[in-house]
């Protein structure tokens, strides 16, 4: 797995890269948004570890640009801010995690490991096709009415949970538990809310409903009922 660390604090950047390399990853470093943009155009990364505050821009803008070009690339935001608004904005842009500085390096290494484990599990080979919506979980591709749509790795994982539990009411707690695994794959509730909203905006049309909100209870996968 290849990682790009985008952090303007040289010492902290070096520390992150060193510890990720020890964990067995291939790691590059960028100190500015411009440098990161150049590197991402020259090669692909599995994960971008991205500081929000950069000397020549901000991480939110970079994430938005990155997701348009490479939607499959995972993003972990780094920030000194623990404001809820910033966290929600990061998740809405498609980030996979949000880490507030300072943090224990071993915990961060574990977060990265769990994220890659989650991504790897997306190649399970499941397939959904109702004649309108097609989702191929093995190669992480999807289309709606013949037009390609793009989901993040976390959105594919969430879709798989819904599809495997068709016509069942899933509470928020049930969804969070199903998105965890024995290795500690923790999911923020904010991330769940943002992901469901993004999924709906990408695939639901006026005459097709896939995810129904069961008020006071949770959500139900409707299987594309008209």
């Amino acid at each position: 797995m290849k990682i790009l660390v985008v952090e303007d604090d040289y010492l902290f950047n070096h520390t992150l890269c060193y510890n990720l390399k020890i964990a067995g990853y291939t790691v590059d470093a960028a100190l500015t948004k411009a440098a990161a943009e150049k590197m991402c155009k020259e090669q692909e990364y599995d994960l971008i570890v991205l500081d929000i505050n950069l000397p020549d821009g901000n991480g939110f803008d970079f994430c938005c640009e990155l997701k348009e070009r490479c939607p499959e690339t995972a993003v972990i935001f780094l920030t000194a801010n623990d404001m809820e608004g910033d966290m929600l904005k990061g998740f809405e842009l498609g980030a996979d995690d949000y880490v507030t500085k300072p943090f224990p390096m071993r915990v961060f290494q574990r977060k990265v490991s769990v994220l890659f484990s989650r991504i790897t599990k997306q190649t399970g080979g499941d397939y959904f096709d109702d004649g309108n919506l097609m989702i191929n979980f093995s190669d992480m591709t999807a289309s709606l009415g013949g037009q390609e749509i793009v989901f993040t790795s976390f959105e594919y994982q969430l879709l798989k949970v819904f599809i495997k539990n068709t016509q069942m009411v899933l509470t928020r707690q049930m969804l969070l538990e199903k998105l965890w695994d024995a290795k500690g794959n923790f999911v923020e509730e904010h991330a769940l809310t943002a992901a469901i909203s993004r999924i709906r905006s990408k695939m639901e049309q006026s005459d097709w409903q896939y995810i129904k909100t069961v008020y006071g209870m949770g959500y139900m996968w409707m299987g594309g009922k008209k």
Side-chain angles (χ1 to χ4, degrees), residues 36-37 39-48 62-75 93-94 96 150-153:
E37 289 172 338
M39 296 173 77
C40 287
K41 289 177 182 177
E42 295 174 348
Q43 56 194 308
E44 295 184 355
Y45 292 95
D46 300 294
L47 168 65
I48 308 292
F62 179 71
C63 180
C64 185
E65 295 163 6
L66 174 73
K67 287 295 184 178
E68 289 182 358
R69 187 173 63 252
C70 304
E72 71 284 355
T73 300
V75 174
L93 289 173
D96 295 84
V150 177
F151 296 112
T152 67
S153 59

Side-chain angles (χ1 to χ4, degrees), residues 20 26 57 81 91-92 108 111 113 119 156 173 175 213:
L20 289 170
T26 300
N81 302 320
F91 287 129
E92 287 168 359
F108 182 74
K111 279 179 173 288
S113 175
I119 293 172
Y156 273 109
Q173 187 60 37
L175 284 168
T213 298

Side-chain angles (χ1 to χ4, degrees), residues 129-184:
D129 189 349
D130 65 359
N132 180 56
L133 174 67
M134 184 282 293
I135 305 174
N136 188 330
F137 290 98
S138 63
D139 60 11
M140 296 178 71
T141 59
S143 64
L144 183 69
Q147 299 296 312
E148 180 183 10
I149 51 176
V150 177
F151 296 112
T152 67
S153 59
F154 179 61
E155 289 165 1
Y156 273 109
Q157 185 185 18
L158 180 55
L159 282 165
K160 185 176 287 188
V161 171
F162 273 123
I163 291 170
K164 286 185 175 180
N165 295 275
T166 299
Q167 300 296 315
M168 289 180 57
V169 176
L170 299 173
T171 66
R172 297 174 67 82
Q173 187 60 37
M174 289 170 64
L175 284 168
L176 290 170
E177 290 175 355
K178 288 178 180 294
L179 292 167
W180 292 345
D181 61 28
K183 295 182 179 180

Side-chain angles (χ1 to χ4, degrees), residues 33 50-54 57-64 75 77 93:
K33 179 174 179 284
L50 180 59
D51 188 19
I52 288 179
N53 298 309
L54 297 169
N58 69 72
F60 290 140
D61 290 340
F62 179 71
C63 180
C64 185
V75 174
F77 273 119
L93 289 173

Side-chain angles (χ1 to χ4, degrees), residues 158 162 175 191-201 211 219:
L158 180 55
F162 273 123
L175 284 168
L192 174 64
T193 301
I196 292 174
S197 177
R198 289 197 307 271
I199 289 171
R200 281 176 155 168
S201 69
I211 300 175
Y219 304 92

